[in-house]
Amino acid sequence: MEIQIPAGVKGKEEVMVTLETTAARYGSGLVEVFATPAMVALMEKTCLVSVLPFLPEGFGTVGIKVDIAHTKATPVGMKVTCESTLVEVDRRRLVFELVAHDEKGEIGRGRHERFIIDTGKFMEKL
């Protein structure tokens, strides 16, 4: 099946930093600021949601590569926004550029790759 997703697709997702999304709760640090794993999860979600409208029923994407820099801490109670742009489509491999910012400015950026899957077939192989 040929799936057409045009380069340039954009996504945007937001979360509020809560105690549950802090480094102290994730176990990735000792302070109560937005955890790097939480930021990466937001970035992955932003990419996924941006391409879902282009996928046939029963298809999805899985993350296969992350190259992210988390450059600034964000306290509990502040909103974090992630914006993605699909910059490369190579058959079923999708490459995104990402920027995350809180209410004071940029907190992270990088690239993320995802792979289009037939969800049923993917799960059968596990």
Side-chain angles (χ1 to χ4, degrees):
M1 168 179 283
E2 182 77 20
I3 298 173
Q4 297 292 323
I5 303 176
V9 168
K10 294 190 180 297
K12 182 177 181 180
E13 296 291 324
E14 300 175 340
V15 297
M16 290 297 292
V17 179
T18 64
L19 287 174
E20 289 73 34
T21 60
T22 64
R25 296 290 168 92
Y26 264 83
S28 64
L30 301 175
V31 292
E32 291 184 340
V33 296
F34 195 48
T36 300
M39 185 183 75
V40 171
L42 174 62
M43 289 175 159
E44 288 202 56
K45 178 183 178 185
T46 304
C47 296
L48 168 64
V49 171
S50 75
V51 297
L52 281 178
F54 298 93
L55 299 176
E57 188 173 329
F59 282 74
T61 66
V62 292
I64 60 171
K65 185 176 182 181
V66 178
D67 182 12
I68 301 298
H70 190 175
T71 56
K72 185 177 171 292
T74 303
V76 171
M78 195 172 280
K79 180 173 63 176
V80 174
T81 303
C82 178
E83 296 179 78
S84 67
T85 303
L86 179 60
V87 296
E88 182 182 341
V89 179
D90 180 12
R91 294 172 295 209
R92 295 192 307 159
R93 186 178 65 90
L94 308 172
V95 181
F96 298 86
E97 289 186 353
L98 299 143
V99 177
H101 52 88
D102 63 22
E103 297 164 34
K104 292 185 176 181
E106 185 175 306
I107 65 165
R109 68 172 44 241
R111 289 173 71 93
H112 175 47
E113 293 185 22
R114 299 188 70 78
F115 197 80
I116 298 170
I117 59 162
D118 177 320
T119 306
K121 289 180 182 178
F122 180 84
M123 294 305 292
E124 286 173 7
K125 293 179 183 179
L126 300 180

